Amino acid sequence: MNEQKSQSYRDAGVDIDAGDALVEAIKPYAKATARKGTAAGLGGFGALFDLKKAGFRDPILVATTDGVGTKLKIAIATGRHGSIGQDLVAMCVNDLVVQGATPLFFLDYFATGKLEVAKAQLIIKGIADACRETGCALIGGETAEMPGMYGGGEYDLAGFAVGAVERGKELDGSGVKAGDIVLGLASSGLHSNGFSLVRRVVEESGLDYSAAAPFSPKQNLGEALLIPTRLYVKPCLAALKAGGKNGVKAFAHITGGGLIENIPRVLPAALSAELDAARWPLPPVFAWLQKSAAIPRLELARTFNCGIGMVAVVAPEALKKVETALKKSGERVYRIGRIVKRARGGPGTAILNAERAWPG
């Protein structure tokens, strides 16, 4: 009779001890994000949040979820994992503030083939740092070790954020009118969209991520492409406060779909955003992509943020107050356009002077 070999979860590729070690290592990061309303630490089956203790009287909850996309492939290829957590948080909380909501708490999902505690700790520290910067508590998450699902060194990230806004103060764009001004807040670069195209351009150009970036010679290409998504929460909340009632009519986070697709999402159907491309600089990374891949201008504007990561639609009478609040919060602000009546069958976003501003 053959003796059956004893098997363990570790033999199957899942290291419970490594998972436990990671939880212990990241507890200080999560603790540092605590805010009024948090009621539990990491390690439980669920996390509690007390809206009343957070200062809300009659709140509407707003929830978002997102990932980082194939930007992760560049982080993995270069071994640079410190900033990718900010991308994850930003993609979620920037969407919350578009609704006028204050971010309250965040949960992350980290999945990998083999858990490397030091790498995972670095990634989650980046998540926690971004949460702390936006006043959002990291109250839980999930670490999944799935051998066979991911190759060596590979991982995936997803984020989940919940915010709140007092009833009656939600932003939905319904108050936007023709004549309102469109402000653009500068992006830090590509943010977290369009990276499948970016990676193809890099591959076809024969460049290595360790080589000097053609559009930023003082950085290597990997470093330049991994600049994290800006966190717009505090500046946007400051703008809302400064503008008063009906000062800021709408925000639009410029993510997948670029300038073309995202702004109409917050406009009434009868209105359109008319932007002037000559009113803000096209960052060098976008000019390089446009030229390297012969990207048509319209396609550039519906794939990438083109230098504008967040848009605010503002009543003319509140414009100076809102601009001042945004600039005091550290934003580079441009008056990029205006709201106009939408022609029958016309686009929700029209970009003027692109031929002059984005020569290709």
Side-chain angles (χ1 to χ4, degrees):
M1 182 177 180
N2 292 329
E3 185 176 346
Q4 187 175 9
K5 182 181 178 181
S6 175
Q7 298 284 331
S8 71
Y9 213 4
R10 187 190 294 269
D11 294 327
V14 179
D15 190 340
I16 296 174
D17 292 336
D20 291 342
L22 177 62
V23 171
E24 290 302 313
I26 65 177
K27 279 183 177 179
Y29 305 151
K31 186 177 180 180
T33 70
R35 54 159 295 157
K36 289 182 179 179
T38 52
L42 297 184
F45 286 96
L48 307 178
F49 193 91
D50 189 327
L51 284 166
K52 188 173 288 187
K53 285 186 178 179
F56 289 89
R57 297 183 303 276
D58 187 16
I60 300 292
L61 292 180
V62 184
T64 62
T65 183
D66 213 330
V68 182
T70 60
K71 188 173 187 177
L72 288 175
K73 298 287 280 185
I74 298 177
I76 292 165
T78 61
R80 291 178 172 269
H81 309 286
S83 64
I84 209 75
Q86 178 170 323
D87 284 295
L88 183 67
V89 174
M91 292 299 286
C92 295
V93 298
N94 287 345
D95 281 355
L96 287 181
V97 80
V98 163
Q99 312 294 320
T102 297
L104 299 176
F105 57 86
F106 189 88
L107 299 98
D108 68 276
Y109 175 79
F110 174 77
T112 187
K114 180 175 175 54
L115 182 58
E116 300 174 58
V117 174
K119 180 193 295 185
Q121 184 177 349
L122 185 61
I123 293 165
I124 296 173
K125 182 181 185 301
I127 293 171
D129 288 346
C131 284
R132 187 170 64 252
E133 186 174 335
T134 56
C136 187
L138 177 60
I139 63 172
E142 166 69 2
T143 300
E145 191 173 20
M146 297 189 287
M149 183 68 74
Y150 298 92
E154 292 185 342
Y155 61 88
D156 198 7
L157 287 173
F160 310 87
V162 173
V165 57
E166 293 289 1
R167 191 181 304 275
K169 293 187 177 181
E170 311 96 303
L171 275 187
D172 60 8
S174 59
V176 175
K177 298 178 180 178
D180 286 339
I181 306 301
V182 181
L183 295 180
L185 279 60
S187 68
S188 55
L190 291 163
H191 285 185
S192 296
N193 297 104
F195 273 87
S196 293
L197 177 55
V198 171
R199 289 169 44 246
R200 173 171 287 188
V201 171
V202 171
E203 182 180 346
E204 292 183 352
S205 68
L207 288 169
D208 190 277
Y209 289 121
S210 62
F215 52 89
S216 181
K218 292 183 179 180
Q219 297 175 295
N220 68 44
L221 183 59
E223 181 184 7
L225 294 177
L226 287 172
I227 293 172
T229 308
R230 281 190 68 79
L231 297 160
Y232 293 109
V233 170
K234 289 185 177 180
C236 287
L237 291 176
L240 281 172
K241 184 177 180 181
K245 187 177 181 181
N246 300 321
V248 176
K249 306 284 192 73
F251 290 120
H253 185 201
I254 310 303
T255 56
L259 292 165
I260 298 295
E261 302 290 343
N262 283 290
I263 300 175
R265 295 168 64 183
V266 298
L267 302 181
L271 299 177
S272 175
E274 186 179 85
L275 309 183
D276 184 348
R279 287 181 171 266
W280 79 91
L282 183 71
V285 63
F286 299 105
W288 171 71
L289 286 165
Q290 182 189 16
K291 185 175 182 180
S292 298
I295 303 173
R297 294 178 184 87
L298 181 63
E299 184 67 15
L300 191 75
R302 69 192 299 264
T303 304
F304 300 107
N305 66 61
C306 297
I308 300 295
M310 180 72 79
V311 158
V313 180
V314 183
E317 60 271 21
L319 185 61
K320 289 186 178 180
K321 289 182 179 179
V322 171
E323 281 183 320
T324 298
L326 289 169
K327 289 175 181 177
K328 282 185 177 180
S329 297
E331 296 302 316
R332 284 177 292 149
V333 185
Y334 304 97
R335 298 184 186 184
I336 64 173
R338 62 194 181 110
I339 301 300
V340 298
K341 290 183 178 180
R342 187 170 182 172
R344 184 184 297 272
T349 303
I351 300 183
L352 310 179
N353 295 317
E355 293 82 0
R356 175 162 58 91
W358 306 345

